[in-house]
Amino acid sequence: MRTHDSFLPNIPPLQDASAALGSPPSWRHHEGSRRVKRAWVIPPISISENHKRIPHLLVQIKSDKQQPGGVIYSIKGPGVDEEPLGIFSIDKFSGKVFLNATLDREQNDRFRLKAFALDLGGTTLEDPTDLEIIVVDQNDNRPLFRHDVFTGRVVEGAAPGTCVLTVEATDADDPETDNAALRFSILEQGHGDMFRINASTGEICTARDGLDREAVAVYNLTLQAADMSGDGLTTTATAVIYLEDINDNAPEFTKQEFSMEVEEQAAGAEVGRVLVHDKDLAGSPNWAAKFTILEGDPEGAFAIRTDPHTNDGVLSVAKPLDHEVRDRFQLTVSVQNQQPLEAGVASSPRAVATVRVRVRDVNEAPVFRENPRRVSVLEGAPPGTAVTTYTASDPDTRRLQTLTYALLYDPAGWLQLDPRSGTVRTQRELRDPSAFLQGGWYIALLLARDDADPPLSATGTLSIEIVEVNDHAPQLQPPSGAVCGRPGRGGTLLLGASDRDRPPHGAPFHFQLSPQHPQLARNWSVTRFNVTHAVLAVLAELPAGPYSLPLLLRDSGTPPREQQQLLNVSVCPCGRDGLCEDGVLAATSAGVGVALEALVVIVGSAVLLLMLALLGAAQVRSRRRAQRRGLLQRWGDDVRDNVLNYDEQGGGEEDQDAYDLTQLRHPPPHGRPPLRRDAPLRSATPPGPSRRPPRGPSDIEDFINEGLEAADSDPSVPPYDTALIYDYEGSGSAGSALSSIVSSLTDGDQDYDYLREWGPRFRRLADLYGP
């Protein structure tokens, strides 16, 4: 196979077929069936990108194994039957290879195809060979910066040659050609040529001295990148360089003197502001000011701080000012940065200023110089006793004002106050203990007010100590007891005492037998047990019985108080264990643990509980009576009729003729009541008061109570018989109590004929007891 010239520019003339295919010179046709196979080699083909004449003949290939028209040629690979499709094609009979589309080296810089030669029957004539097509680069791409805007920072005053940042750019053309050889430059930088750029590397550095943030804070550089070593296509970008601040400017006051005013007694109030100016970056430590009061405030009445937002100096009152003491101040204030100045930077002469402050006079509240005031008053002091004179002072010495006083808090109403002089006196007697005393102290509040407009006031605390007075003698506790009447066999009694006075006017107590009765010392002795108790002992054997011993009790107050009191002692016989043999006597007469007051309380409580129980029972009984009356009044028919019908023991509900109810409602008159056989022979039944039957069902309870009272007052009848009277049903019953049926001496004394009129059942009873 061989190739023909393609006549393309930039492509060398194709060799003849044998040379193009790399056939060895010894390859020849020989007579006979034997021949030598030649290699099929096609050299690389170069074509420039962006070629406009389409289609374009690249090369023609031929195989010399068959006659022309007897070989079928084909190619395969990228650009033919692989992506990108349709770029190359071949004439299958002539072997001409064509370019069908514009090439872009930046997308595909070469194509590697396979060429095939087949006979008309599809048999391979020669082995497939490589066909390489190389795309030649053209300068068709501009350089591109990696960023549209590059940012850098450098401190102001940086030395020349200080590098800030490096910019980068790329070119899509062949890096092996000048099409991608880039060069950088600065087209524009505004305020002077302060920066330069390395044309090959893109590094930007300072070019000279004089970078001042206060003059120019930001530099905007316009950069350019060009290929073909600076002579080809170009592109631009921006570099923004910020100057970082250093403390190269001292703060200065806006003026040398400031004037301010403030009211007296306004502690913590803002007096005014001193203004400063600093050229350094606002908000940075190089800009933040720090103020100091150098002169004019030896007592530290003022303070000055920095407003972090405005950098102003805020002067305030640290201690309350008094117009009457000092009404004007002249302060010397200095300012400096929180960050030290850079070396070689001198401080400004305007870093010191004078501040004049005038103190305005205002009405001030009265002041109690001694607060609280503590005084003492004897317990039980009579009304009108002077306690103290508690006054306040007015700080406004240059104003003529009058103070008045009032009691603001006097819980017990114990004090009276002179509103002009402030003198406090007692209004009534106050004793300890009291609910208004706290640990022996009485607390009151006084109000002092001036007569300004508007008036101001102050509150003073008056603490009054109620001094304890020994005005109570100790009391014997308990006042009675029991002892065994034999010495050394338990004949002792522990005595105690209490005192209403507080220490030191109470314990220790002193117990002794009354000196007015020296004979008591022969049988009794009193010895101290502790500060509040003593022991009474029997010295001689005493007969059992009650004894009254006069004792003298004395406290430890100043002066001491003493009182003679009787001790009731019950002497009892001694048992083996030293206790009283008579347990009852020891329990009742030896009132060691229960005083008379306790007994009174116990008895009173018992009586009160009993009264409450009786009252509750009466209320229950009253409610029951009301309920009964209400129920009976709601019954429209006769109670007896209902009772008799529902208590029927005969023929059931249909038997309504068992009783003659007319006889019960309208009883026949009879002479005397039936006599009772159960009455004793020796006593006749006294004629009791006639009891009229109740008029209505609501009076049944009263009727029963009257019957009970009558039975209880009858001495001739056993009490058990009275229960029969309660068998009453209805009012106006003609039948007397059933218990009276056999109460006479003989059956002849009874008249049972009226029973026949009550119905068939009572007729049987009349037959049994009648004649």
Side-chain angles (χ1 to χ4, degrees):
M1 184 180 288
R2 55 190 179 190
T3 62
H4 287 259
D5 296 339
S6 61
F7 304 102
L8 294 177
N10 299 326
I11 299 177
L14 297 177
Q15 301 173 357
D16 56 18
S18 60
L21 294 175
S23 300
S26 60
W27 191 86
R28 294 288 187 273
H29 284 281
H30 297 278
E31 294 180 358
S33 59
R34 182 180 179 184
R35 63 192 176 105
V36 179
K37 184 178 181 181
R38 299 182 300 167
W40 187 15
V41 178
I42 303 175
I45 302 170
S46 297
I47 181 67
S48 175
E49 65 175 334
N50 303 317
H51 190 79
K52 303 299 182 183
R53 290 177 297 175
I54 302 299
H56 176 70
L57 177 62
L58 294 179
V59 69
Q60 182 179 10
I61 58 176
K62 284 186 177 183
S63 175
D64 54 0
K65 291 190 176 183
Q66 295 286 343
Q67 294 297 323
V71 179
I72 302 300
Y73 299 97
S74 63
I75 56 175
K76 294 184 179 181
V80 181
D81 58 350
E82 298 178 13
E83 292 292 338
L85 301 175
I87 295 180
F88 304 102
S89 63
I90 188 171
D91 187 318
K92 62 180 180 178
F93 295 111
S94 64
K96 293 180 181 180
V97 179
F98 295 93
L99 172 66
N100 301 319
T102 303
L103 298 177
D104 187 355
R105 193 206 66 84
E106 285 69 43
Q107 292 183 0
N108 301 97
D109 60 349
R110 64 186 60 235
F111 295 88
R112 291 185 174 88
L113 308 178
K114 289 287 187 179
F116 301 88
L118 305 175
D119 60 14
L120 296 179
T123 303
T124 302
L125 298 177
E126 298 189 40
D127 292 335
T129 187
D130 294 331
L131 175 60
E132 183 177 13
I133 301 173
I134 299 174
V135 182
V136 180
D137 181 48
Q138 289 185 343
N139 190 19
D140 57 349
N141 290 281
R142 293 180 179 275
L144 293 177
F145 281 101
R146 291 191 179 276
H147 305 285
D148 292 334
V149 178
F150 295 87
T151 302
R153 295 181 179 274
V154 63
V155 296
E156 60 176 332
T162 303
C163 293
V164 181
L165 75 160
T166 300
V167 298
E168 296 180 355
T170 60
D171 196 313
D173 291 324
D174 189 355
E176 302 297 329
T177 65
D178 284 344
N179 296 336
L182 304 182
R183 295 294 181 265
F184 299 96
S185 62
I186 299 176
L187 299 180
E188 183 182 358
Q189 54 181 308
H191 306 277
D193 298 332
M194 304 303 296
F195 299 92
R196 59 179 176 81
I197 187 170
N198 188 304
S200 299
T201 64
E203 187 176 31
I204 300 175
C205 303
T206 58
R208 63 178 64 181
D209 292 322
L211 290 175
D212 187 358
R213 193 205 65 83
E214 289 71 38
V216 179
V218 180
Y219 285 86
N220 293 286
L221 281 61
T222 302
L223 308 178
Q224 176 181 279
D227 57 15
M228 301 297 291
S229 299
D231 297 330
L233 302 177
T234 63
T235 188
T236 59
T238 301
V240 180
I241 300 177
Y242 296 93
L243 299 189
E244 295 183 345
D245 184 55
I246 62 174
N247 195 11
D248 56 347
N249 295 278
E252 297 177 346
F253 286 102
T254 57
K255 55 184 179 179
Q256 292 298 107
E257 186 173 314
F258 298 87
S259 297
M260 305 175 186
E261 285 188 358
V262 66
E263 292 182 352
E264 63 175 336
Q265 304 300 329
E270 181 177 322
V271 181
R273 293 177 173 239
V274 291
L275 308 182
V276 296
H277 174 70
D278 195 315
K279 296 179 181 180
D280 290 320
L281 181 62
S284 69
N286 301 326
W287 172 81
K290 180 173 62 176
F291 299 89
T292 306
I293 300 176
L294 300 178
E295 297 177 359
D297 185 25
E299 298 177 356
F302 296 94
I304 189 168
R305 62 179 178 84
T306 303
D307 187 331
H309 302 290
T310 64
N311 215 28
D312 298 336
V314 182
L315 185 67
S316 60
V317 178
K319 297 180 181 179
L321 303 176
D322 193 343
H323 174 80
E324 287 73 23
V325 177
R326 185 175 179 180
D327 61 353
R328 295 182 185 277
F329 291 85
Q330 181 173 318
L331 310 177
T332 301
V333 180
S334 67
V335 63
Q336 59 185 8
N337 288 127
Q338 295 180 6
Q339 191 77 10
L341 291 172
E342 290 291 322
V345 178
S347 60
S348 173
R350 297 175 61 87
V352 177
T354 300
V355 180
R356 303 183 187 277
V357 180
R358 187 175 72 88
V359 181
R360 293 198 307 269
D361 186 26
V362 296
N363 183 32
E364 300 176 67
V367 177
F368 284 96
R369 300 299 179 186
E370 183 183 358
N371 196 4
R373 167 73 65 84
R374 291 181 173 85
V375 295
S376 300
V377 175
L378 293 178
E379 177 188 17
T385 302
V387 178
T388 185
T389 298
Y390 194 20
T391 59
S393 59
D394 193 345
D396 296 314
T397 57
R398 300 183 184 181
R399 298 186 182 188
L400 185 59
Q401 296 184 141
T402 302
L403 300 182
T404 56
Y405 302 91
L407 278 173
L408 185 62
Y409 178 71
D410 181 18
W414 184 49
L415 304 175
Q416 57 182 354
L417 175 66
D418 188 326
R420 298 294 178 183
S421 64
T423 300
V424 181
R425 296 180 181 275
T426 60
Q427 181 167 258
R428 61 183 183 85
E429 183 178 340
L430 184 66
R431 290 187 172 274
D432 189 15
S434 172
F436 301 103
L437 297 182
Q438 301 177 4
W441 289 83
Y442 183 78
I443 307 298
L445 299 179
L446 275 66
L447 184 70
R449 178 181 299 173
D450 60 22
D451 57 354
D453 186 20
L456 296 180
S457 61
T459 302
T461 301
L462 180 61
S463 299
I464 305 173
E465 181 186 15
I466 308 301
V467 179
E468 182 72 25
V469 177
N470 193 17
D471 52 352
H472 297 91
Q475 296 290 329
L476 186 64
Q477 293 291 338
S480 60
V483 295
C484 178
R486 184 178 301 172
R489 294 292 300 276
T492 59
L493 177 63
L494 183 63
L495 306 178
S498 62
D499 197 325
R500 295 174 58 187
D501 295 320
R502 292 187 293 108
H505 301 296
F509 301 122
H510 303 276
F511 301 80
Q512 67 178 100
L513 298 171
S514 174
Q516 299 177 2
H517 303 275
Q519 69 277 9
L520 297 176
R522 294 195 300 268
N523 297 327
W524 308 89
S525 68
V526 177
T527 57
R528 179 177 178 179
F529 182 74
N530 55 26
V531 295
T532 57
H533 291 77
V535 176
L536 175 69
V538 177
L539 298 181
E541 186 169 353
L542 299 176
Y547 293 83
S548 294
L549 304 181
L551 300 181
L552 186 65
L553 275 69
R554 184 175 68 252
D555 58 25
S556 299
T558 305
R561 295 292 296 266
E562 61 182 15
Q563 181 179 359
Q564 182 171 302
Q565 303 175 49
L566 284 180
L567 173 64
N568 297 319
V569 180
S570 296
V571 177
C572 60
C574 295
R576 294 182 179 181
D577 53 357
L579 301 177
C580 294
E581 289 183 350
D582 189 357
V584 176
L585 178 62
T588 56
S589 61
V592 182
V594 181
L596 179 61
E597 294 84 356
L599 292 175
V600 172
V601 171
I602 294 174
V603 173
S605 301
V607 172
L608 179 60
L609 292 176
L610 181 60
M611 293 178 64
L612 292 175
L614 293 176
L615 179 61
Q619 291 179 350
V620 172
R621 180 178 180 183
S622 176
R623 285 196 297 269
R624 289 179 178 177
R625 179 181 297 178
Q627 293 174 357
R628 291 171 183 172
R629 290 180 179 179
L631 292 174
L632 292 176
Q633 289 174 1
R634 288 194 297 270
W635 292 346
D637 52 353
D638 197 313
V639 178
R640 295 170 300 166
D641 189 22
N642 292 335
V643 172
L644 291 174
N645 281 331
Y646 287 101
D647 199 25
E648 167 65 32
Q649 300 294 327
E653 296 182 357
E654 299 298 330
D655 187 5
Q656 298 295 328
D657 299 328
Y659 305 100
D660 186 2
L661 298 180
T662 59
Q663 296 298 323
L664 292 176
R665 294 191 177 100
H666 305 286
H670 53 274
R672 58 183 178 86
L675 298 178
R676 298 179 55 177
R677 291 184 177 182
D678 59 348
L681 297 176
R682 61 180 179 274
S683 60
T685 303
S690 61
R691 294 189 290 117
R692 181 176 297 176
R695 297 179 180 179
S698 62
D699 298 331
I700 293 177
E701 184 177 2
D702 296 337
F703 180 81
I704 293 175
N705 291 333
E706 292 176 2
L708 177 62
E709 183 179 359
D712 291 342
S713 60
D714 187 358
S716 62
V717 181
Y720 64 85
D721 192 54
T722 58
L724 299 177
I725 300 175
Y726 298 129
D727 293 340
Y728 168 77
E729 296 181 353
S731 63
S733 176
S736 300
L738 296 180
S739 61
S740 301
I741 295 178
V742 292
S743 59
S744 60
L745 295 176
T746 63
D747 293 341
D749 296 334
Q750 299 284 351
D751 184 6
Y752 299 106
D753 291 339
Y754 66 91
L755 294 177
R756 302 179 184 277
E757 301 175 0
W758 286 11
R761 296 192 179 186
F762 287 94
R763 290 193 191 101
R764 177 61 177 168
L765 189 62
D767 293 341
L768 292 176
Y769 291 95

